Amino acid sequence: MKVTDRKLEILRHAARLFREKGYRAVSMRDLADALDIKASSLYNHIQSKEEILSSIILEVAEEYAQGIQHIQSEDISSIEKLKKLINLHIQIASKNSDGMAIVQKDWVHLEENLAYYKQLRRDYESKFYQIIEEGLADKELRNAHPETIVF
């Protein structure tokens, strides 16, 4: 599905509002007011508030998934992979701070794509654990608790 400039604008404004007020507290009328359009006009570009939330969260989650997949496949030390993961987090957070905030607090409101989001998250954490465990096995890391590092 092609994302239009208008839809991107809707997503950007929604992300800001969701971060500021919380997903549940933002109405379609609030979003329309922020965009200076009629609420009914929003439905020319999106189907529902849930679709907006899902688009915002999955964009961030898929970016993490693609990033860690690339990092994990590189032929570099575990320490270098962890450095790249930290850099990935910084890049995503600095580029999309509203989206990051929404992933942290509003993912629980996903309905249709909740299972997909949870699978992305599980896969990401699993790959993160694998990198840490490789570092422990290669003696690059010592006295480390993988759960603490991933947290």
Side-chain angles (χ1 to χ4, degrees):
M1 176 180 181
K2 184 179 180 230
V3 178
T4 64
D5 290 341
R6 188 59 162 169
K7 184 170 182 176
L8 287 174
E9 183 181 11
I10 291 167
L11 294 173
R12 188 175 61 249
H13 278 80
R16 182 182 50 79
L17 288 172
F18 293 171
R19 179 184 49 87
E20 290 172 357
K21 298 180 178 184
Y23 172 73
R24 291 271 189 222
V26 175
S27 69
M28 293 300 275
R29 182 167 305 287
D30 294 332
L31 182 54
D33 289 345
L35 291 159
D36 198 28
I37 62 174
K38 293 182 180 185
S40 60
S41 297
L42 284 173
Y43 294 101
N44 292 326
H45 306 280
I46 53 103
Q47 294 177 16
S48 65
K49 192 168 95 166
E50 160 75 15
E51 178 192 350
I52 295 170
L53 180 69
S54 183
S55 293
I56 293 166
I57 289 175
L58 294 181
E59 176 187 350
V60 173
E62 288 171 346
E63 190 169 1
Y64 274 115
Q66 292 167 3
I68 199 165
Q69 180 68 34
H70 175 74
I71 291 166
Q72 189 182 38
S73 70
E74 290 188 56
D75 188 22
I76 56 177
S77 71
S78 296
I79 294 291
E80 288 304 312
K81 289 178 182 181
L82 290 172
K83 288 178 182 178
K84 286 189 173 213
L85 278 172
I86 291 167
N87 190 44
L88 176 68
H89 280 256
I90 292 168
Q91 286 177 352
I92 293 171
S94 63
K95 180 177 72 174
N96 189 355
S97 61
D98 291 337
M100 284 291 298
I102 292 161
V103 167
Q104 294 299 315
K105 67 179 183 173
D106 288 323
W107 69 268
V108 296
H109 301 298
L110 285 175
E111 294 171 13
E112 186 176 319
N113 289 308
L114 180 60
Y116 175 58
Y117 168 74
K118 284 183 172 181
Q119 186 62 52
L120 286 172
R121 195 165 103 183
R122 276 191 302 272
D123 291 348
Y124 180 85
E125 289 175 357
S126 175
K127 286 176 174 67
F128 207 139
Y129 277 111
Q130 288 172 5
I131 291 168
I132 293 165
E133 289 167 359
E134 288 169 10
L136 290 168
D138 294 341
K139 306 271 190 258
E140 293 178 67
L141 302 172
R142 62 180 191 274
N143 299 325
H145 300 289
E147 297 82 12
T148 303
I149 294 171
V150 171
F151 178 74

